[in-house]
Each structure stands twice: as structure tokens, then as C-alpha cells.
Amino acid sequence: MFKRLRGVFSNDLSIDLGTANTLIYVRERGIVLDEPSVVAIRQHNGSKIVEAVGVEAKRMLGRTPGNITAIRPLKDGVIADFQVTEKMLQHFIRKVHENSWFQPSPRVLICVPCLSTEVEKRAIRESALGAGAREVRLIEEPMAAAIGAGLRVEEATGSMVVDIGGGTTEIAIISLNGVVYSDSVRIGGDRFDEAIVNYVRRNYGSVIGDATAERIKQEIGCAFPGSEVREIDVRGRNLAEGVPRSFTLNSDEILEALQEPLAGIVQAVKSALEQSPPELASDIAESGIVLTGGGALLRDIDQLLSEETGLPVIVADDPLTCVARGGGKAMDLMDKRNIDLLSS
Amino acid sequence: MTAETNNETPVEESVDLLTPGGFLQKEREEQKLNEKEVATKLRITRSKLAALETDSYDQFPGETFIKGYLRAYSRLLKLDEDAVLQRYFDYVSAHSEVSQLITPSRPQGVVSAMAVERMKTPISPLVWIGFIALLAIVVVWFALQDSASTANVDETVSVAEQVGQAVTETQVEGALDAENLATESAQADPVVQPDQMVAADDVIQPSAPQAVETKRAASDVQAAGALELRAPDRLELQFADECWVEISDANGDVLATELQAAGSAITLQGKAPFNVMLGNVKAATLALNGQSVEVTPKGNNRALRFVVGSSNQ
């Protein structure tokens, strides 16, 4: 009852609770929050205190003293640390309602990976309720991504969407507001970073952090040969000498480093195409595959998939926010037509 | 966006007027590529390529795909993707009426709009409506409660008068024992509360002039009523505890405005009905012309404003 009263002063939120970033979309206001899913926790007299959340906490990753731990509470698209996720959600929900006089109690729609188990879904639902939400709805990530990318999901034509997130890559074939086929592989932006770290250690004998690897990926990373070669100066700790050394990496090297995770994504996309019903496969062959998620920003990844599958591949506008925006639209759809977009 | 349009200026003037499809077609012909080659490289059918070059955008399953194909096409021809997309936006906003409803989303525009939205977070109109409604409810509630409390007092006053009359009637019958009277009146009307019994007790204390007056009144109730109309009304108050008192009579004369100490009693004369305001209702005992008046406090309010002797007197 009290929650409902507080709800009058809260907005409906669509949350893309991702492994790497959490985005919140509010109806009529757009994306209001885009922060890394990182929480820094300070141990104080045996109790845990949240030190920082989001951007601030991410800056602390790998740079913390003994009593502070910066953790990412989500792993592979699902909750790894229930309590910390709850705290993080609470912080984000409050941040969105900064000018509110009341403690917010919004209706919340959260995107979940399509192959998440009942236990994982329940964990997400419970943590959102614990964070103060008065009603929690779940939607499959690729469905939200497809709606956010502007695909006509309600029509009787097949659309294929590949959402390359931080922890997972979700592949789904969608028709008539439902997911016909879906697959999820635990390869995403994090695996790209890891691959770069490993490559640098192997070939340069130097250790770099995840944050540096991410910067390398964003600045010179590419998925398909042929475009101009870019370079970047990187500093890392040399394993043999034990002192920081500077060296230069180029985009061809990064392409080589990313071969393994990229091959995994290509393989998953191919197997999805293999298993799609023939009518939908022909629809997809005609219109093409749509890429969303942060991974879609990797240079020339569309060309790689296009080359490998022989289909046109399109990167959606603003791929990072597709899922959150799609979730917002899905909430409107659910309200208007009283349908549930969670097919499983 | 302005930077992009500036980049286009080195190209011929007439090129600026071309539609996105026409521009791409012209560029393709200049680079000596045929439709089949381009369609194969873009992995789209030749009919789709033709649709793209003739700006027949309704043949595509959504804006996402149109923009995607245009990007891929311009990349293939090594053109500036954003410049080609800008042409598309201009074309759509200029030509298609439908586009007025579905305005093409420009990524940069979206981002800047988001930034603006993030800066100002307005209080939604719903919140204002909620506040106004809440205020209205509170005002109405107070108004209703006020009128309800005065009505309640009027009722209790009339009930108390009836009880008083019952007491005087029993006096006429000659039962002068005060204790008996109190119990009888209590039996006659179960509404009478124990504290009222005390009030009845007080009324029939054998103070000489009062007894004479009640007996005279008892001899003929109607005549007594008529007499009382002419004679000034008497309001007696006793206080078990400290109580603020404000009393004015029908002429508007203020009879008392003062704080009464515990255990004090006052007798006021004036014309009924009396407007009474008591600061501590529970501590006060009222009697009008010797007839006790029961006052029930409304809710938890200690203070009460009411009228005594309005209807029957």
C-alpha cells in the first residue's frame, strides 16, 4: 500500500542489467543512466560498506588497497553476488530519482539473458524487489534489443538479432513478438579484453590490466582485416624485468588476438542459422542480421559476420543503448496490449 | 552535422540536389561498378539494390535496414557514410509525409537530446496533480469533520435536555431521594453515562432557591418553558481540570473568555442559545437552566466549539 503511494512519485524504469554496464531508460526521458556495473566495497570492523558505485567504482578496479574490493556483481549476464547487485540497483534507482522527495518505488522491467535459468531469473527479480521496486517484469535481452533496434518484431517475418554484450552474446530469431530460436554463448566484451591481455603477455612478455585492454579494444580493435592499420602506445609491467615498459600495438595484432572469441561468436551465429525454420531463414537471408550491444562497436565486426554467413549484417543505431530503449518500448507494449514478451 | 555538410561542399553543386539513391548510383557509375557486382558484395538482391538507388524505401522491412544498407553501400564506394545518411534524413524529412510521423532517428541528435534530458529532470505533472488532489482531500475532510462535530453536539444537547426533563418529571412524582432519581433516570434511558449521573446528582443538590425553581417548573412544564423564554437563561459550568472557556449568548454578548482553574464553577446569564468553546471538554460539566447538558468530545480533540440550547428553547 505504502509502496504504491511512493510509486506515484516514481517513474517506470527499463533496466539493462549488463555484465559490463547498467543502463536505465525512463519513458519520455530517454537513457538517464549509463554506468559500469561495478561496486567498490570497504571492509570496516567486519561489516561491509558500499564505498562507490558505477564510474567511480570502475576507476578503482585493480587499484584498491587491502580493505577495499571493487567487484563486478554480475558475471556472464547473471547475478554472481546477490547482495551487492541489490545494493547497486538500489543506488542506481535512487540516482535516477535524485530530485524526488520520497524514496522511489518504481515499476521495473529488467532484461535477462535468454538462456538464464529459473533460479537466475528469480535472483534478478528478488534483487530488484529488494532494491525498492514495486513490480518487476522480465524480458529476454535479444527481444528488447530487437525492439530497440527498430525491427518489426510484431510482424510474421523473421528477424535475427545478435546482441554482443559484456559477458554474453545473445542470438535470437524473432517473429510475432516471440523468440523462435535463441542461443547464448558466454563470449562478450570481457572475453575480448581477456584475449588481448593474454596476447600481450604471450608476445610482449608484459602484463596489462583489464582497463588497459578495454582501452586498446575500443581504440584500435577490429574484427576484419583490410581496413587501415592503427597503432596505440601501451604501458605494462614487463614480466622478465619486473618494471613498467612502454610498447606499441597495432590493429592487426589485436585482430589476431581476438580471433578465438570472434570465431566463437561466428560459430554460434552459424548454428542459429542452421537451426532456424526455413521460412524464417529465407526472411533473414533477404533482410539480414542486426547487431546490437557494445560488442557491435568493434570495428568491422559486421563485415566479419557478413563474410562468414554470406548475409547482409547491419549494426543498429546506438547499439549500446538498444536493449534499454527496447525494454522501455516493450513496457509500453505490455501496458497497451496486455501481452507478456517473456516467451519461456 | 554541420561539419558534415561543409565537407560536402567541394562536390559539385548539382550533386547536392541528388537524392541518396541517385547520389549512390552516380558514384557507382563513376567507379565503373555494375549492379550485379555491387549486389553480390553487399549481399542483397538486385531488386533491393535498385530500390535503394531509386529511393523506394517502402520496400525495406524497417528504417534500421535502410540505414544499414546505405552505410554498407557507401563504405563499398569509399564514401563518407555520415554524409550519405544525412542525405537520406534530408530526403525523408522533405519527401515522405509518413516520415513526419516516424521521424528518422539521428544518432547524434539522440545523444544530445539525452544529454539535455539528463541535465533537467522536471517534476512530472502527475506529481503536481497528486499534490493538488491531496490538498483538496484534506480541505474537504476538515470541512466535513467540522460540520459533523457541530451536528453531533446539537444531537447530544437535545438528548441531554430530554434526560433533564425526565429527571424533573420524576421529581414531580415526589421521589426526592437523589440516589434513586439518578438510578431511575439511568434505567429510563440507557444512553445516560455514569458521569451524567453525577451531573444529575449536582442538579438536585438541595440548594434552596434552585429546588423552589425546579418545583415551580415541574408544576407546569409548558408554562415553565414559556417563563424561561422571558427570563434570562442560566448556564452553569463546573470544571474538574483547567479549561479555557469562551462563551457568548444569542445577542453576541461575550459572557466569559478566561482560563478556569481546576475545581472552579461559574454561572452565566444571558439569552440562549449560547456559543460555547471549551478548551478541555472532558473536564467540563454543563447545565443549562438546571438541566445538565452532555457534551461528547469528537475524536481525540480536547477542544470543542458547540451551541447550547439552540432548538428546543
Side-chain angles (χ1 to χ4, degrees):
Chain A
M1 157 71 198
F2 196 60
K3 266 193 171 182
R4 196 173 296 171
L5 190 70
R6 292 204 321 247
V8 175
F9 300 97
S10 312
N11 298 311
D12 290 354
L13 307 179
S14 154
I15 302 180
D16 173 12
L17 192 60
T19 316
N21 291 295
T22 296
L23 285 92
I24 298 185
Y25 172 93
V26 177
R27 202 180 289 175
E28 292 165 6
R29 277 172 59 192
I31 302 286
V32 290
L33 184 132
D34 177 2
E35 291 206 30
S37 309
V38 185
V39 182
I41 289 179
R42 178 193 288 274
Q43 297 271 2
H44 185 72
N45 293 339
S47 59
K48 289 179 177 176
I49 301 164
V50 176
E51 178 78 15
V53 182
V55 182
E56 247 179 277
K58 195 185 179 186
R59 233 174 274 141
M60 297 179 187
L61 266 180
R63 298 190 173 105
T64 51
N67 62 339
I68 298 177
T69 40
I71 48 174
R72 303 174 74 164
L74 289 116
K75 205 166 167 51
D76 298 334
V78 294
I79 291 179
D81 191 324
F82 185 82
Q83 283 174 326
V84 177
T85 308
E86 194 177 308
K87 286 266 183 265
M88 186 179 78
L89 271 179
Q90 204 168 11
H91 178 269
F92 287 152
I93 289 175
R94 279 217 194 119
K95 198 167 180 182
V96 171
H97 292 93
E98 242 167 12
N99 63 349
S100 181
W101 300 335
F102 299 87
Q103 198 184 357
S105 175
R107 283 197 314 163
V108 164
L109 180 129
I110 299 184
C111 309
V112 292
C114 48
L115 289 188
S116 55
T117 61
E118 279 305 314
V119 177
E120 289 162 345
K121 280 181 196 164
R122 194 185 159 93
I124 288 179
R125 195 187 289 272
E126 299 269 314
S127 67
L129 287 172
R134 76 173 186 282
E135 192 186 323
V136 180
R137 288 174 177 183
L138 301 179
I139 184 173
E140 281 156 332
E141 247 165 55
M143 187 70 191
I147 296 172
L151 303 191
R152 297 178 181 171
V153 290
E154 73 285 351
E155 286 179 6
T157 49
S159 331
M160 183 164 174
V161 63
V162 179
D163 179 45
I164 308 170
T168 56
T169 294
E170 314 270 326
I171 300 153
I173 297 167
I174 290 161
S175 173
L176 291 168
N177 281 329
V179 176
V180 179
Y181 170 87
S182 69
D183 194 11
S184 172
V185 284
R186 305 210 155 175
I187 301 170
D190 291 350
R191 283 287 297 275
F192 294 161
D193 296 347
E194 247 172 68
I196 292 171
V197 171
N198 291 338
Y199 178 87
V200 171
R201 184 162 48 204
R202 228 177 19 247
N203 292 285
Y204 288 85
S206 293
V207 185
I208 54 168
D210 286 343
T212 312
E214 193 179 355
R215 192 164 58 87
I216 296 168
K217 175 185 74 181
Q218 285 170 352
E219 286 184 20
I220 65 163
C222 73
F224 195 70
S227 54
E228 53 164 331
V229 176
R230 298 184 191 180
E231 292 190 338
I232 190 172
D233 283 334
V234 186
R235 283 167 195 82
R237 182 166 55 84
N238 193 296
L239 280 171
E241 299 171 25
V243 287
R245 282 272 175 266
S246 176
F247 48 94
T248 307
L249 288 171
N250 68 34
S251 52
D252 281 346
E253 288 172 301
I254 302 306
L255 174 65
E256 197 187 326
L258 295 179
Q259 275 313 303
E260 196 202 326
L262 286 173
I265 292 175
V266 168
Q267 189 51 46
V269 171
K270 278 184 178 169
S271 78
L273 286 169
E274 268 169 31
Q275 295 186 39
S276 73
E279 282 300 331
L280 296 179
S282 82
D283 288 343
I284 295 161
E286 201 173 327
S287 52
I289 301 168
V290 176
L291 295 183
T292 65
L297 292 171
L298 187 68
R299 202 153 50 107
D300 293 339
I301 194 164
D302 51 338
Q303 264 182 287
L304 170 77
L305 284 171
S306 179
E307 206 64 40
E308 292 284 340
T309 58
L311 302 177
V313 176
I314 289 149
V315 177
D317 277 337
D318 205 0
L320 264 173
T321 62
C322 266
V323 173
R325 281 187 288 126
K329 283 186 201 164
M331 198 143 57
D332 286 349
L333 268 176
M334 286 174 175
D335 279 347
K336 272 184 205 153
R337 300 200 216 146
N338 201 18
I339 50 168
D340 201 357
L341 292 171
L342 191 72
S343 53
S344 54
Chain B
M1 290 288 162
T2 48
E4 286 150 19
T5 43
N6 289 342
N7 289 344
E8 278 177 57
T9 41
V11 192
E12 291 171 50
E13 279 292 302
S14 61
V15 172
D16 274 350
L17 300 170
L18 283 174
T19 61
F23 176 71
L24 287 169
Q25 190 181 10
K26 184 175 157 291
E27 286 289 329
R28 175 176 63 79
E29 282 162 1
E30 274 178 13
Q31 294 185 21
K32 296 189 176 63
L33 291 165
N34 66 33
E35 280 182 33
K36 197 180 170 189
E37 276 175 319
V38 172
T40 318
K41 281 187 178 164
L42 290 180
R43 298 188 168 79
I44 57 176
T45 56
R46 281 173 72 176
S47 61
K48 280 244 165 103
L49 182 70
L52 210 60
E53 289 187 347
T54 53
D55 303 303
S56 319
Y57 297 120
D58 50 348
Q59 294 189 21
F60 296 94
E63 202 190 34
T64 314
F65 291 100
I66 300 168
K67 286 194 274 188
Y69 295 150
L70 284 174
R71 266 205 201 102
Y73 198 171
S74 36
R75 205 187 303 154
L76 181 74
L77 299 177
K78 297 188 173 59
L79 300 169
D80 182 4
E81 292 175 30
D82 292 332
V84 174
L85 277 183
Q86 185 57 45
R87 270 174 200 274
Y88 166 70
F89 292 137
D90 294 344
Y91 175 83
V92 169
S93 53
H95 287 75
S96 169
E97 288 168 17
V98 184
S99 73
Q100 299 294 326
L101 299 170
I102 315 157
T103 39
S105 55
R106 302 172 192 213
Q108 288 176 11
V110 169
V111 170
S112 64
M114 279 171 203
V116 170
E117 288 296 351
R118 217 175 293 176
M119 297 297 279
K120 48 158 194 175
T121 44
I123 299 174
S124 71
L126 197 72
V127 175
W128 286 116
I129 292 168
F131 267 121
I132 291 164
L134 202 71
L135 207 71
I137 288 168
V138 168
V139 167
V140 167
W141 184 69
F142 268 110
L144 282 177
Q145 207 187 22
D146 229 27
S147 63
S149 69
T150 45
N152 205 4
V153 168
D154 286 347
E155 259 175 46
T156 49
V157 167
S158 62
V159 166
E161 279 161 3
Q162 283 168 11
V163 172
Q165 278 178 4
V167 172
T168 46
E169 274 163 24
T170 45
Q171 257 182 306
V172 172
E173 281 162 21
L176 285 166
D177 188 347
E179 291 298 322
N180 284 349
L181 268 176
T183 46
E184 265 183 46
S185 68
Q187 282 163 0
D189 195 341
V191 175
V192 180
Q193 298 297 313
D195 60 336
Q196 207 185 329
M197 287 201 273
V198 178
D201 255 358
D202 291 342
V203 169
I204 308 151
Q205 284 302 317
S207 78
Q210 203 180 325
V212 171
E213 199 180 308
T214 42
K215 272 179 188 170
R216 200 186 299 157
S219 64
D220 189 347
V221 178
Q222 282 178 345
L227 271 173
E228 276 171 42
L229 268 179
R230 272 172 265 128
D233 294 296
R234 219 154 37 77
L235 189 65
E236 292 161 43
L237 297 107
Q238 288 187 336
F239 301 97
D241 201 351
E242 271 195 344
C243 177
W244 174 258
V245 182
E246 261 182 56
I247 297 170
S248 59
D249 70 355
N251 298 329
D253 297 334
V254 178
L255 305 176
T257 47
E258 57 195 341
L259 184 72
Q260 296 294 330
S264 66
I266 50 168
T267 305
L268 302 166
Q269 290 201 338
K271 191 180 173 192
F274 296 97
N275 276 314
V276 182
M277 192 282 189
L278 295 178
N280 186 2
V281 181
K282 285 178 183 165
T285 314
L286 269 78
L288 178 65
N289 297 328
Q291 298 176 355
S292 85
V293 176
E294 191 201 11
V295 183
T296 43
K298 181 77 184 171
N300 290 329
N301 291 346
R302 278 158 58 97
L304 187 65
R305 189 183 285 279
F306 55 95
V307 181
V308 177
S310 57
S311 54
N312 294 5
Q313 297 296 318

